[in-house]
Amino acid sequence: MKRNYSAFAEDIPPYSGPKAARETYADLKQLSAIPGHIYMRPELQILPGQRRFSKMSWLVPMLELLPPTSIGHLKEWGLSTVFVLAKNYNKLVHVWESITAMVELWHPQTNSFIFPEFEATIHLEELEIMLGLPCYQRGKESAISYTVEQINSWSILAYITTKKNDLYSMTSGMHVHLLPIAQWITSQCKRKTTNYTAIAKAAAICICGVILFLESDGAISFGNLSIIDSISEGMKIGQAVLGFLYAGLTSATLGGPFYGLVVALELWMGMHFQFWAMENPNTECKTMLNHLLAYVGG
């Protein structure tokens, strides 16, 4: 049974700095005993050791068909690293024990990991560097204008196709399905059409949807579709990506579904933590030969 945060908020002392956080570390660890917490969810612990994602079997074959011009657009939009990760998706290995352990330390009030002697979190600058995303320039906020309006997924997807049957297959409810978009890209590439920009935009939806904004069953929300669409217009998406990761960690901590940028979490862990073999603490762990850092120049 899921429990809302308000149901046990009184058990977590108000945040009052690192010293107080260290003093209440034992209490924070009790999050693991909350019904519905990730530690208690067997579906996220399917296999001991390592687990490989295989549901996106369509991703890599589709990317191998992309014309060089479309790939050039993706690089121009700042998606080079995301493209590399997506193209090596079948090789990536996620060590779920380490991810689960980190989620257990996530504090939903401070958006940080609480360790016995310190606290830490993933910063925007780190995220942008790890994923090669265009950097957010502080001080230029006045040059950015935002328009609040209802998101029309069909108007975004209409740049790819105007066929109603295709649009119906790509959307359902408040989500966009990535597989039909990938099938459209594949058909365009095999027919050797010259609609390179549309192919690049569709490919951006697929690779960002899988690497940055995946929620479940190969689908992304309309809101995240709009964020991905803004990449080609020069918008910086680092803040949205980081916020999505924070939201996913908080959701898992509070007994909800686990979603978000697992890739960024593991990249960050790989940069800041040294892993050692559990059987022999003196032996450095050598099982992470396909760690994500290997594909982003780490």
Side-chain angles (χ1 to χ4, degrees), residues 20-65:
R22 287 195 294 271
E23 292 173 353
T24 59
Y25 177 69
D27 294 332
L28 291 174
K29 290 183 68 176
Q30 297 304 313
L31 285 172
S32 299
I34 297 171
H37 188 275
I38 182 175
Y39 186 77
M40 307 293 291
R41 296 171 63 194
E43 71 271 18
L44 294 181
Q45 304 169 24
I46 296 176
L47 294 176
Q50 301 173 342
R51 188 178 80 171
R52 216 180 266 268
F53 279 128
S54 59
K55 291 184 178 180
M56 306 297 170
S57 57
W58 48 265
L59 180 62
V60 175
M62 179 271 291
L63 294 178
E64 292 175 346
L65 295 175

Side-chain angles (χ1 to χ4, degrees), residues 214-235:
L214 188 66
E215 293 185 46
S216 63
D217 299 328
I220 60 174
S221 68
F222 285 173
N224 289 332
L225 172 67
S226 178
I227 293 171
I228 297 171
D229 181 63
S230 69
I231 296 175
S232 61
E233 305 299 327
M235 293 293 291

Side-chain angles (χ1 to χ4, degrees), residues 80-264:
S80 297
T81 301
V82 177
F83 176 76
V84 171
L85 288 170
K87 200 167 184 181
N88 290 280
Y89 190 77
N90 293 339
K91 301 177 183 177
L92 303 182
V93 173
H94 297 276
V95 184
W96 284 100
E97 281 79 0
S98 60
I99 296 174
T100 302
M102 291 301 295
V103 173
E104 289 180 54
L105 300 178
W106 182 254
H107 196 313
Q109 291 179 331
T110 63
N111 286 336
S112 62
F113 300 103
I114 307 296
F115 295 90
E117 300 297 331
F118 63 94
E119 59 181 311
T121 192
I122 304 172
H123 295 142
L124 175 61
E125 293 80 4
E126 288 183 302
L127 182 82
E128 292 171 336
I129 292 173
M130 290 187 299
L131 297 176
L133 297 175
C135 294
Y136 172 76
Q137 300 294 329
R138 298 186 183 278
K140 293 188 177 181
E141 292 87 351
S142 59
I144 303 175
S145 61
Y146 297 93
T147 301
V148 180
E149 60 182 12
Q150 185 176 1
I151 298 173
N152 188 337
S153 63
W154 278 29
S155 66
I156 297 174
L157 296 174
Y159 195 89
I160 301 174
T161 178
T162 56
K163 296 181 179 180
K164 285 191 174 182
N165 288 338
D166 290 341
L167 293 173
Y168 277 120
S169 68
M170 293 177 182
T171 60
S172 65
M174 296 297 292
H175 288 80
V176 176
H177 298 283
L178 301 179
L179 177 57
I181 297 177
Q183 292 172 335
W184 178 88
I185 295 173
T186 301
S187 66
Q188 294 291 306
C189 293
K190 288 184 176 180
R191 289 164 48 195
K192 299 187 183 300
T193 62
T194 57
N195 198 6
Y196 301 127
T197 303
I199 293 175
K201 283 197 170 188
I205 294 172
C206 288
I207 65 175
C208 290
V210 171
I211 301 297
L212 305 182
F213 293 110
L214 188 66
E215 293 185 46
S216 63
D217 299 328
I220 60 174
S221 68
F222 285 173
N224 289 332
L225 172 67
S226 178
I227 293 171
I228 297 171
D229 181 63
S230 69
I231 296 175
S232 61
E233 305 299 327
M235 293 293 291
K236 309 297 189 295
I237 66 169
Q239 290 176 317
V241 174
L242 185 61
F244 190 67
L245 173 58
Y246 283 0
L249 287 168
T250 297
S251 173
T253 300
L254 303 183
F258 183 36
Y259 59 87
L261 187 52
V262 177
V263 169

